[in-house]
Amino acid sequence: MSSAFGGRVQIMGMAWVLVVLWAGTMGIEDRCLPGGKHKASPSPEGHLGSCLLYSENACCSSDVIQDLSKANDIYWNRCGGLSSRCEQYLQQVECFYRCSPIAAQWPHPRRPTAVLAVPLCQNFCDQWYDACKEDLTCARNWLTDWHWGPDGNNCSQECISYGQMYKDGKELCETIWDDSFTVNTDPCECLTLTTSDAGFSASRFHYEEGDNTEESETPKENGRRAGWGGPKGLCPGSPLLQRLKKNLQKRSVFMEDVEGSGSGF
């Protein structure tokens, strides 16, 4: 009796491990971040307005992005209207979170609907800072520094310029949305939240048997290779892209070994 019970427990344990491994080996862009009005999986979406960059494979629907200035139930304009340049960068960040299918590759361990330490390029953060430094804000960390009321987020401190609130682009990127983003100075190891990130697309990221993970096809423009996440020609095979592809390959091989041998657990 005890032997049979132990056998069932072992089988159930192995089944649970296989379920977890299967989830981990799903296609890199076959799922979206959970909750937060995200789709369960990305699909083509028309009429995305300022988030048009993600229309071919989006984790958001058109109705969700109608008013990005009320991002995540947080109004951007509690200190008055923003300049168009500043608002553009806030829109880029918000579109990435809501619509990009690759956002799910940086899941937050404590906040399921959030991202953790997505690598943004230093030049993107510097340009964001330059665009917003004269605009006004009253919250340093937009996840924690608001006073909440019936009408949503309200200032808990006086309005000051972004230039006063943050010392530079790095501090802006790594603080405004808590721990969602980190800054990387290597142009081949980071995102710009523009078409330069196209090399990190589903068609190029899925692991396929026989695929050479040492080389990565990248978009071509005027007959030249466009380096993902960096200036054209500098990143013929993004190190970040290759590393994540290899991680996917390792998980796939590990799962096949577990299914085939039934050992190791």
Side-chain angles (χ1 to χ4, degrees), residues 122-137:
Q122 178 76 64
N123 65 337
F124 171 83
C125 294
D126 290 343
Q127 291 166 8
W128 181 7
Y129 181 77
D130 183 65
C132 292
K133 64 183 179 182
E134 302 299 330
D135 289 86
L136 300 179
T137 184

Side-chain angles (χ1 to χ4, degrees), residues 10-27 31 251-252 254-256 258-259 265:
Q10 184 178 12
I11 291 173
M12 291 175 65
M14 289 179 61
W16 172 248
V17 169
L18 289 174
V19 167
V20 172
L21 288 171
W22 173 81
T25 55
M26 289 179 65
R31 55 191 167 83
R251 289 197 299 269
S252 299
F254 179 54
M255 182 176 177
E256 291 172 2
V258 171
E259 289 180 323
F265 297 95

Side-chain angles (χ1 to χ4, degrees), residues 106 108-111 114-118 141 143 173-182:
W106 290 275
H108 200 292
R110 297 186 303 277
R111 300 193 301 271
V115 292
L116 174 66
V118 176
N141 184 322
L143 292 186
C173 278
E174 295 186 343
T175 305
I176 190 169
W177 285 115
D178 199 56
D179 54 3
S180 297
F181 301 104
T182 187

